[in-house]
C-alpha cells in the first residue's frame, strides 16, 4: 500500500470515529463537543500523521516521551494549535521533558512521579493538565494506582505536591467487559471532584462515552494496525 492510500485511510478513519462519537453521544444525550478525541499516533511516522493534521485534527496522543520529541516539534511548527497528550508511563528522569513537551499527561500514578512533575511545573512555569492513572483491574503488569489507594494518592498529589489534577485515566484489562471499569473510574472521579475521565480506546470508546468519558484515546481505528 502506498503512503498516499494509508493517509486517505487515516482521514477516513478519523471521520468514522467522529461519526461513532456523535452516535454514542446521541444515545446518551451528551453533546459531541463534551468528548475530546485524542488521536493516538504512536509508532506512526510523521508522513502518516500529516493528513490527519491537514484534515483539521489537532489533539494527539503519544505513549513515549522520546518518540514524541523526535516527531512533534516539526509537526507543531507546520500545524499550529496542536495539543499533545502523554498516554504512556512516565519515568521520573523524563519528567522534565514530558512537562516541556506535553499539554496533557494522563499517567501520574505514584508519589515520585507526582513530586517530579510538580518540581518541573514550578521550574518551567508550564502547567500540563494532569490525569491520575488508576489500575482498575489491579493487573500486576499494568501502571496505575490501585483503586483502593486512589483517594489517598489524589489527596497526596493535591496537598503534598500542590498539583491541580484534572481527572482520572484507566485501561481496562483486555479480557474484561470494560463497562464496570469505566463505572469504577467514574465513581472515584466523582467522589474526588475530578471532571476529567480519560477512558475508551478503539475497541470500546462508545461504551466509555456512555459512562461519561471526557477524553477517548483512539489509535488503530484511525491510523490502522500498528
Ligand atoms: C495505544 C494506546 C491507546 C490506543 O489504542 P487503540 O486500541 O489503538 O485505539 C490508548 N491508550 C493508551 C494508553 C495506549 O497506549
Amino acid at each position: 500500500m502506498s503512503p498516499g492510500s494509508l493517509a486517505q485511510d487515516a482521514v477516513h478513519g478519523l471521520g468514522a470515529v467522529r461519526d461513532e462519537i456523535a452516535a454514542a453521544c446521541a444515545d446518551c444525550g451528551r453533546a459531541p463537543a463534551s468528548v475530546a478525541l485524542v488521536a493516538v499516533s504512536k509508532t506512526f511516522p510523521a508522513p502518516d500523521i500529516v493528513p490527519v493534521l491537514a484534515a483539521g485534527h489537532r489533539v494527539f496522543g503519544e505513549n513515549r516521551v522520546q518518540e514524541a520529541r523526535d516527531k512533534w516539534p516539526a509537526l507543531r511548527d507546520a500545524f499550529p494549535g496542536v495539543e499533545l497528550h502523554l498516554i504512556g508511563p512516565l519515568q521520573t528522569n523524563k519528567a522534565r521533558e514530558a512537562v516541556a513537551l506535553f499539554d496533557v499527561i494522563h499517567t501520574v500514578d505514584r508519589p515520585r512521579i507526582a513530586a517530579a512533575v510538580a518540581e518541573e511545573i514550578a521550574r518551567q512555569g508550564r502547567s500540563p493538565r494532569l490525569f491520575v492513572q488508576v489500575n482498575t483491574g489491579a493487573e500486576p503488569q499494568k501502571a496505575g494506582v490501585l483503586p483502593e489507594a486512589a483517594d489517598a494518592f489524589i489527596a497526596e498529589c493535591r496537598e503534598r505536591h500542590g498539583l491541580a489534577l484534572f481527572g482520572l485515566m484507566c485501561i481496562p484489562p483486555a479480557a474484561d467487559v470494560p463497562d464496570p471499569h469505566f463505572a469504577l473510574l467514574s465513581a472515584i472521579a466523582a467522589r474526588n471532584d475530578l471532571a476529567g475521565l480519560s477512558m475508551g480506546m478503539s475497541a470500546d470508546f462508545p461504551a466509555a462515552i456512555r459512562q461519561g468519558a471526557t477524553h477517548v484515546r483512539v489509535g488503530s481505528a484511525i491510523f490502522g494496525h500498528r
Side-chain angles (χ1 to χ4, degrees):
M1 196 184 278
S2 76
S5 57
L6 265 180
Q8 286 307 328
D9 286 353
V11 172
H12 180 83
L14 177 71
V17 169
R18 281 187 174 149
D19 288 349
E20 273 193 81
I21 289 173
C25 285
D27 275 357
C28 59
R30 296 184 59 188
S34 69
V35 181
L37 171 58
V38 181
V40 177
S41 50
K42 66 186 185 193
T43 78
F44 288 94
D48 291 349
I49 303 170
V50 163
V52 178
L53 284 159
H57 197 73
R58 287 294 180 273
V59 182
F60 290 85
E62 291 282 345
N63 69 334
R64 300 173 68 123
V65 175
Q66 175 155 350
E67 183 180 343
R69 183 188 63 202
D70 292 345
K71 283 184 345 200
W72 279 96
L75 289 171
R76 275 186 149 148
D77 285 348
F79 295 93
V82 165
E83 183 180 283
L84 199 56
H85 293 237
L86 177 63
I87 61 169
L90 182 55
Q91 312 299 326
T92 49
N93 65 357
K94 295 278 172 59
R96 178 159 300 180
E97 237 176 335
V99 168
L101 193 55
F102 290 95
D103 304 295
V104 186
I105 296 175
H106 292 236
T107 51
V108 176
D109 70 346
R110 56 197 188 276
R112 288 186 55 208
I113 290 294
V117 166
E119 190 182 321
E120 288 306 320
I121 286 172
R123 205 183 68 86
Q124 300 182 32
R126 249 190 133 257
S127 298
R129 234 181 288 148
L130 301 175
F131 289 79
V132 166
Q133 183 175 354
V134 181
N135 185 357
T136 56
E139 295 173 281
Q141 82 287 5
K142 200 164 268 176
V145 63
L146 291 172
E148 60 268 28
D151 293 346
F153 179 64
I154 291 162
E156 179 176 351
C157 285
R158 288 169 161 164
E159 290 155 23
R160 176 134 186 248
H161 303 293
L163 293 175
L165 300 178
F166 183 76
L168 302 179
M169 177 273 221
C170 75
I171 309 169
D176 284 15
V177 174
D179 299 64
H181 295 274
F182 298 151
L184 173 59
L185 197 73
S186 172
I188 298 170
R191 69 177 182 243
N192 285 284
D193 286 318
L194 289 166
L197 284 173
S198 168
M199 56 192 199
M201 304 172 30
S202 290
D204 56 17
F205 69 87
I209 289 168
R210 288 191 286 267
Q211 299 270 358
T214 60
H215 292 67
V216 293
R217 310 176 311 267
V218 180
S220 51
I222 297 171
F223 291 101
H225 289 296
R226 289 181 292 272

